Amino acid sequence: MASKLVQLQSKAAEASKFVAKHGTSYYRQLLEQNKQYIQEPSTVEKCNLLSKQLFYTRLSSIPGRYEAFWKELDYVKHLWKNRQELKLEDAGIAALFGLECFAWYCAGEIVGRGFTITGYYV
């Protein structure tokens, strides 16, 4: 166990040296590539202003998303009423979408249980 700890410490020291040597150049390169997104002056007040702008912009988009939701729901209702005209391709896509939703649900359950398939740790 002690040998594993020493090995882990040496790997951490090696990684720290690598970051210390190459981290600033990577940081500068990243900022240079994305300078069109940087707001000047870069202050806390400017960050607070931008976060408020993002929040209220997203808030103002709710009515449009609400309308789009109801249009989608009306389309699904129309498909359900005329399901005898439904093509096999559309039914297959819907079945695959349902299967994907179920798979993501199962994956979430497994992650929520601490990556166990059989049950919860008690």
Side-chain angles (χ1 to χ4, degrees), residues 28-79:
R28 287 188 188 124
Q29 179 187 6
L30 185 67
L31 287 181
E32 184 62 33
Q33 289 173 348
N34 297 297
K35 65 183 172 186
Q36 71 270 18
Y37 303 115
I38 298 173
Q39 293 288 318
E40 294 296 334
S42 301
T43 61
V44 174
E45 291 82 16
K46 188 68 170 180
C47 290
N48 288 337
L49 174 67
L50 289 172
S51 68
K52 284 183 182 179
Q53 286 176 343
L54 176 64
F55 175 75
Y56 287 110
T57 301
R58 295 266 173 108
L59 197 62
S60 70
S61 72
I62 288 176
R65 288 189 275 160
Y66 182 78
E67 289 295 323
F69 169 76
W70 287 110
K71 284 180 184 177
E72 289 285 332
L73 189 62
D74 289 339
Y75 177 72
V76 170
K77 287 179 183 177
H78 174 73
L79 280 179

Side-chain angles (χ1 to χ4, degrees), residues 9 15 43 45 53 65-66 81 86-88 101 103-104:
Q9 286 176 337
T43 61
E45 291 82 16
Q53 286 176 343
R65 288 189 275 160
Y66 182 78
K81 285 180 186 175
L86 193 63
K87 294 186 286 186
L88 184 63
C101 288
W104 279 111

Side-chain angles (χ1 to χ4, degrees), residues 101-119:
C101 288
F102 180 71
W104 279 111
Y105 167 78
C106 290
E109 282 291 312
I110 291 170
V111 169
R113 283 183 281 199
F115 297 97
T116 64
I117 296 174
T118 56

Side-chain angles (χ1 to χ4, degrees), residues 11-26:
K11 290 286 185 183
E14 186 179 321
S16 177
K17 286 178 187 176
F18 180 81
V19 168
K21 183 177 181 183
H22 300 290
T24 56
S25 62
Y26 175 73

